[in-house]
Amino acid sequence: MNVHRNFTTGFVLSKWDLHMMCAAKFFGSWSKCMSRHIGAVIVADKRIISTGYNGPPEGTHHCDSRERMMEIIASFYNAPAVLDTADELLKSRGKCPRKVLGFKSGEGLHLCPAAHAETNAIVNAARDGSRVKGATMYCYCPHPCFECTKLIINAGIRRVFFLDGVSYDSQGPLLFKAVNTELIPVQKELVDQHYLELDPQWNM
């Protein structure tokens, strides 16, 4: 079995782990988010028991719909950028509304209807009656955010693979450390390369 060693952490990443990170990337491609595509896979006993990607709750309006634009305009507040008219925001359909309003990554989340991939994976498991306690989660994203971290811990997930890089916030890693959750950062380039090796057509 092919393995890859992370020389920073010393963790040996198996080919199976890479497969699951690629699965998370694949499910992330299902997301219709106009900001980023994130996927998550929950695995127990080498079986995928749940998947998730970032997106709004089932049955609600997506950010590229006129209905969602009107909802944002009606409740809009605290945006760094000042728009002269609501028409200006409506003309920007197809772009992330938070970015149009001047918010940086991770800001203006009061306007974002999407649930994160990790959250949706846990919710989907609960809805299907799948047990996730003691399971492993693979995330095609940097370190899970603070809110997702809380859910991952309370769900009893004991290992989390994620893309190596800068964390969205400083609080999530502290919570994981307190409960001894095993965290395994994986190089994005390694996952992306393996993804193409599995099926070059996935990147078409």
Side-chain angles (χ1 to χ4, degrees):
M1 179 170 58
N2 294 338
V3 297
H4 298 271
R5 181 179 297 277
N6 185 315
F7 290 101
T8 301
T9 64
F11 183 85
V12 176
L13 187 73
S14 70
K15 194 169 183 178
W16 166 263
D17 295 323
L18 267 179
H19 282 340
M20 292 302 98
M21 287 297 290
C22 288
K25 176 181 173 72
F26 173 73
F27 286 109
S29 71
W30 292 15
S31 173
K32 300 301 187 293
C33 178
M34 293 173 288
S35 177
R36 55 175 57 117
H37 297 167
I38 305 297
V41 172
I42 301 177
V43 174
D45 299 324
K46 291 208 168 184
R47 291 190 308 111
I48 294 177
I49 58 177
S50 188
T51 64
Y53 55 88
N54 56 317
E58 188 175 335
T60 63
H61 299 303
H62 191 267
C63 290
D64 63 354
S65 68
R66 182 179 178 84
E67 291 84 358
R68 180 58 192 156
M69 289 294 103
M70 296 307 296
E71 291 170 354
I72 292 174
I73 291 167
S75 61
F76 156 71
Y77 65 96
N78 286 341
V82 178
L83 300 180
D84 293 333
T85 66
D87 287 341
E88 196 165 343
L89 184 58
L90 288 171
K91 290 176 183 176
S92 301
R93 285 172 61 186
K95 298 180 180 179
C96 174
R98 293 185 299 118
K99 291 183 178 180
V100 173
L101 293 173
F103 289 109
K104 298 178 182 178
S105 180
E107 299 178 347
L109 296 179
H110 58 285
L111 298 176
C112 180
H116 287 184
E118 304 95 314
T119 293
N120 281 331
I122 293 171
V123 169
N124 289 338
R127 187 165 64 175
D128 294 338
S130 299
R131 178 184 173 90
V132 301
K133 186 175 182 180
T136 297
M137 177 178 280
Y138 296 85
C139 307
Y140 188 75
C141 65
H143 194 290
C145 73
F146 192 37
E147 295 304 318
C148 286
T149 296
K150 298 174 189 176
L151 289 176
I152 291 169
I153 292 172
N154 282 340
I157 293 170
R158 300 307 301 157
R159 288 205 309 168
V160 180
F161 289 77
F162 59 94
L163 298 180
D164 199 4
V166 179
S167 175
Y168 290 133
D169 59 60
S170 61
Q171 297 303 308
L174 296 178
L175 287 185
F176 277 136
K177 184 177 180 180
V179 296
N180 295 318
T181 301
E182 186 177 4
L183 302 176
I184 301 99
V186 182
Q187 290 181 329
K188 182 178 184 297
E189 295 78 10
L190 190 62
V191 178
D192 292 347
Q193 179 60 39
H194 191 63
Y195 187 82
L196 291 179
E197 291 171 355
L198 290 174
D199 189 345
Q201 294 183 352
W202 284 1
N203 204 39
M204 293 178 65

